[in-house]
């Protein structure tokens, strides 16, 4: 009924894989009340993460750094990237997997990869709002902006206009007005 009631269960139940899995299937938040050993159980954490990638925040530090687990979870929920270790968030292939699933996962990608053209383009292709999290250097690169708009014309809504980019943006709007009107 109320997942918060799990904080009052006995240590034996917190260490019972069947009980914890059943509770996590009902509400992923219950994973936080599982024993330390079960929060390190890869299969149990993966099952909870299938219901919500946010369950990873309650996984052990070792699992938050587990590349194989990250691959499985990020294929389901890209924004779960925020709950993984910095090394996972800075892995180019995992960043691409996350932003292909949800472009706004770019927010949780390591800073160096937010400046990576390929990662930022994939994110913007999936969701123009991802540009809100791309590096300023990329956003000031005219060729990057043209490429983004060719992939996703609606991304224009998330490009910040300054005097220098005003003419470029006007030309892009004119060239893509039909796509923007949808």
């Amino acid at each position: 009924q109320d997942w918060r009631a799990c904080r009052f269960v006995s240590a034996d139940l917190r260490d019972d894989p069947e009980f914890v899995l059943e509770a996590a299937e009902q509400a992923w938040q219950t994973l936080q009340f599982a024993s330390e050993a079960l929060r390190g159980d890869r299969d149990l954490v993966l099952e909870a993460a299938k219901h919500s990638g946010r369950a990873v925040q309650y996984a052990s530090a070792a699992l938050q750094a587990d590349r194989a687990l990250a691959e499985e979870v990020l294929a389901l929920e890209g924004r779960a990237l925020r709950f993984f270790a910095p090394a996972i968030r800075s892995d180019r292939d995992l960043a691409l997997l996350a932003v292909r699933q949800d472009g706004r996962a770019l927010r949780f990608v390591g800073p160096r990869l937010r400046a990576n053209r390929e990662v930022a383009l994939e994110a913007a292709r999936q969701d123009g709002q991802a540009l809100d999290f791309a590096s300023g250097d990329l956003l000031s690169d005219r060729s990057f902006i043209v490429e983004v708009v060719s992939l996703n014309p609606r991304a224009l809504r998330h490009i910040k206009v300054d005097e220098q980019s005003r003419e470029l943006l006007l030309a892009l709007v004119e060239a893509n007005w039909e796509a923007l009107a949808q």
Side-chain angles (χ1 to χ4, degrees):
Q1 302 283 355
D2 184 352
W3 62 267
R4 290 172 290 239
C6 286
R7 80 179 68 176
F8 303 111
V9 301
S10 69
D12 288 343
L13 284 177
R14 289 176 190 231
D15 202 34
D16 180 332
E18 289 179 26
F19 174 80
V20 171
L21 181 58
E22 178 67 30
E25 287 175 350
Q26 301 300 313
W28 61 268
Q29 299 93 328
T30 60
L31 189 59
Q32 68 187 292
F33 303 115
S35 69
E36 192 172 323
L38 290 184
R39 286 185 283 122
D41 181 310
R42 186 184 188 288
D43 294 332
L44 190 138
V45 169
L46 179 58
E47 281 305 311
K50 287 178 181 178
H51 296 279
S52 174
R54 293 178 290 176
V56 172
Q57 69 187 295
Y58 301 117
S60 68
L63 287 181
Q64 290 175 347
D66 183 307
R67 191 177 199 290
L69 178 67
E71 284 180 18
E72 290 186 67
V73 173
L74 297 175
L76 300 170
E77 188 174 332
R79 283 193 274 174
L81 184 62
R82 74 181 134 183
F83 302 115
F84 283 96
I88 298 292
R89 294 193 311 267
S90 297
D91 181 298
R92 183 186 153 281
D93 293 334
L94 292 175
L96 283 168
L97 178 63
V99 301
R100 285 179 179 139
Q101 199 286 322
D102 184 333
R104 289 175 290 165
L106 187 62
R107 177 181 189 176
F108 307 110
V109 166
R112 183 180 51 79
L113 289 175
R114 275 182 266 156
N116 179 286
R117 187 180 190 97
E118 182 184 11
V119 172
L121 281 172
E122 282 299 322
R125 176 194 321 260
Q126 206 283 326
D127 187 333
Q129 189 177 359
L131 290 176
D132 294 343
F133 310 110
S135 83
D137 289 344
L138 280 177
L139 295 174
S140 63
D141 179 339
R142 292 171 67 95
S143 67
F144 175 77
I145 298 300
V146 170
E147 194 170 355
V148 164
V149 173
S150 72
L151 294 171
N152 182 355
R154 291 178 176 222
L156 271 170
R157 297 176 181 155
H158 301 281
I159 298 172
K160 292 166 182 54
V161 181
D162 59 19
E163 237 3 84
Q164 207 170 28
S165 62
R166 189 175 188 281
E167 290 174 25
L168 172 64
L169 290 176
L170 287 173
L172 290 171
V173 168
E174 186 175 317
N176 293 284
W177 70 271
E178 289 177 331
L180 291 169
Q182 295 176 357

